[in-house]
Amino acid sequence: MHELSIAMAVVEQVDDALRERGAERVPVRSLTLRVGELSGVVPEALDFSFGVAAEGTVLADARLLIETVEGRARCGSCGRDTATGMPPDLWCGPCSRAMNLTGGRELEIARVVLDDVRPDDAGERHGDDDAPGVTGAQAGTDADAPARDKEASHVPHR
């Protein structure tokens, strides 16, 4: 199951990014991954594997959100851009030519939301201005987090 090695790599990358910014002790509230439907990754297996990989880390209590990115293809001849479907159809119906895959193979960390209470703060609250940044992610409090955290863990990205 390659999802376990993917989950372990994600946990390591987030942990490294937090450590570089001096935030290695700040718990992660949620982590959003963008996973293309043609990437070969099974979201349910990744979700399970993430729980195993995150044990004992600042991501242990993090909610994993997975945005599914649909497969897309473009015809080099007529310019038609369309969803590929599953299994992918890479043949252009109107001009009978092969299409080029343009999306759906993504596997990336899209967002990291840190908890706004640090373990060593004895009850102090921290906002966005105090929180260390995380490249490609948002750190600190997040006004949309309570609504987003109630969403299903597999969020279609269309």
Side-chain angles (χ1 to χ4, degrees), residues 5-94:
S5 61
I6 292 169
M8 290 172 66
V10 166
V11 168
E12 184 178 333
Q13 286 180 355
V14 172
D15 191 51
D16 288 349
L18 292 174
R19 188 173 291 109
E20 287 174 9
R21 288 155 183 80
E24 64 272 6
R25 295 183 54 208
V26 180
V28 175
R29 181 186 308 163
S30 67
L31 171 67
T32 303
L33 301 178
R34 294 186 68 220
V35 179
E37 68 181 353
L38 304 174
S39 67
V41 175
V42 177
E44 293 80 10
L46 182 57
D47 192 28
F48 173 80
S49 297
F50 176 76
V52 173
E55 281 185 28
T57 72
V58 293
L59 289 108
D61 294 324
R63 176 155 169 84
L64 178 63
L65 301 171
I66 299 175
E67 293 180 354
T68 302
V69 181
E70 75 177 343
R72 306 250 354 135
R74 181 175 181 80
C75 177
S77 180
C78 72
R80 180 174 175 242
D81 181 47
T82 187
T84 62
M86 277 300 288
D89 180 7
L90 299 175
W91 196 255
C92 183

Side-chain angles (χ1 to χ4, degrees), residues 63-135:
R63 176 155 169 84
L64 178 63
L65 301 171
I66 299 175
E67 293 180 354
T68 302
V69 181
E70 75 177 343
R72 306 250 354 135
R74 181 175 181 80
C75 177
S77 180
C78 72
R80 180 174 175 242
D81 181 47
T82 187
T84 62
M86 277 300 288
D89 180 7
L90 299 175
W91 196 255
C92 183
C95 69
S96 300
R97 301 222 174 172
M99 298 179 78
N100 299 313
L101 194 59
T102 59
R105 294 181 291 190
E106 294 82 358
L107 180 55
E108 60 191 15
I109 299 170
R111 182 182 185 99
V112 175
V113 178
L114 301 180
D115 200 344
D116 60 348
V117 177
R118 298 180 189 155
D120 59 345
D121 286 338
E124 285 186 48
R125 306 288 290 179
H126 294 271
D128 287 323
D129 295 337
D130 304 279
V134 177
T135 302

Side-chain angles (χ1 to χ4, degrees), residues 143-154:
D144 297 329
R148 186 180 55 256
D149 287 346
K150 292 178 184 172
E151 297 174 0
S153 64
H154 305 294

